[in-house]
């Protein structure tokens, strides 16, 4: 479990660093970088804050982690599909 925590946190750190760098590169208006980065930070943080509540609700209803992980897999695949629909940046 400790190994998973270390590996998971390291992967999350790398992902977030790259994610913020890419977000900064695709900002639409260079005059409003602070506003846009704040909005992007909210778009990143709010789902991360809500996800444990949703997972707890699923766990309470189903009584197990299998449904929680299946829910996560479904939404991960949906996110990947939506990312494939992005044609490019302006």
């Amino acid at each position: 479990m400790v190994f998973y925590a270390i590996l998971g946190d390291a992967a999350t750190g790398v992902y977030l660093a790259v994610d913020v760098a890419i977000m900064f590169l695709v900002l639409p208006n260079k005059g409003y970088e602070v506003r846009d980065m704040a909005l992007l930070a909210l778009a990143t943080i709010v789902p991360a804050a809500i996800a444990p509540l949703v997972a707890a609700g699923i766990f309470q209803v189903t009584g197990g982690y299998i449904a929680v992980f299946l829910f996560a897999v479904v939404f991960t695949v949906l996110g990947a599909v939506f990312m494939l629909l992005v044609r490019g940046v302006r």
Side-chain angles (χ1 to χ4, degrees):
M1 194 63 147
V2 173
F3 176 73
Y4 172 76
I6 292 170
L7 183 64
D9 288 344
T12 301
V14 170
Y15 166 77
L16 289 175
V18 172
D19 191 40
V20 169
I22 291 172
M23 284 190 284
F24 190 76
L25 290 174
V26 299
L27 292 177
N29 189 345
K30 298 301 179 191
Y32 295 100
E33 289 132 340
V34 175
R35 181 199 66 186
D36 293 340
M37 288 302 288
L39 182 63
L40 290 169
L42 280 174
T44 302
I45 293 169
V46 170
I50 294 173
L53 300 174
V54 173
I58 294 169
F59 183 83
Q60 187 173 13
V61 169
T62 62
Y65 284 107
I66 293 173
V68 174
F69 284 116
L70 288 175
F71 189 82
V73 166
V74 168
F75 277 88
T76 300
V77 169
L78 282 174
V81 168
F82 284 121
M83 286 303 299
L84 291 173
L85 297 175
V86 175
R87 301 233 185 251
V89 295
R90 296 178 200 178

